[in-house]
Amino acid sequence: MRCVIARYPFDLTKDGVMGSMKGITPEQITGEAVTIGRRRYPVKQVGEIVTRQDRRDFTSGEIVRAMTRLGFTCHEHPDATPVPVLTPLENASALLGVPGAREA
């Protein structure tokens, strides 16, 4: 499939992308991701390897659009579970073993 990434045309195939990513260890995912095979990669890492361009030259949207057209599953930002934040008084109370405002 022919697609334009960072104003350059590329002829990408699903097998070609899978072959390029074979043996590459996924980096930590902080934004959008794409599933290739059984692994989930950050889209910027995939774009850098497939196009051999610097990550600053293209947007993640361009890579997501190309990978989706090739049939790969793309994912939005990872879900973050909210972590309860204790106030300084509650933290001190918890450290001393005294019931805090949230426990009482």
Side-chain angles (χ1 to χ4, degrees), residues 25-33 40-43 45 55 78:
T25 304
E27 297 172 358
Q28 183 178 4
I29 297 173
T30 57
E32 295 173 312
R40 190 178 285 192
Y41 296 91
V43 292
Q45 181 183 13
R55 295 179 187 205

Side-chain angles (χ1 to χ4, degrees), residues 31-34 41-48 58-61 63-64 67 74-75:
E32 295 173 312
V34 58
Y41 296 91
V43 292
K44 287 285 196 169
Q45 181 183 13
V46 173
E48 181 180 41
F58 53 85
T59 65
S60 60
I63 303 301
V64 167
M67 295 299 116
C74 296
H75 310 276

Side-chain angles (χ1 to χ4, degrees), residues 4-104:
V4 176
I5 298 173
R7 298 186 315 255
Y8 291 101
F10 292 94
D11 288 321
L12 300 177
T13 63
K14 189 168 186 172
D15 292 334
V17 172
M18 291 182 77
S20 296
M21 298 307 293
K22 186 176 181 180
I24 303 294
T25 304
E27 297 172 358
Q28 183 178 4
I29 297 173
T30 57
E32 295 173 312
V34 58
T35 301
I36 299 175
R38 287 184 258 158
R39 293 184 172 187
R40 190 178 285 192
Y41 296 91
V43 292
K44 287 285 196 169
Q45 181 183 13
V46 173
E48 181 180 41
I49 291 170
V50 170
T51 64
R52 296 184 183 102
Q53 293 182 338
D54 191 87
R55 295 179 187 205
R56 296 172 290 183
D57 293 340
F58 53 85
T59 65
S60 60
E62 291 174 314
I63 303 301
V64 167
R65 188 169 38 253
M67 295 299 116
T68 302
R69 287 177 58 194
L70 286 172
F72 293 106
T73 304
C74 296
H75 310 276
E76 295 293 322
H77 300 284
D79 296 331
T81 57
V83 177
V85 178
L86 297 177
T87 64
L89 176 63
E90 292 170 335
N91 189 26
S93 296
L95 291 172
L96 293 172
V98 180
R102 291 190 183 176
E103 296 174 7

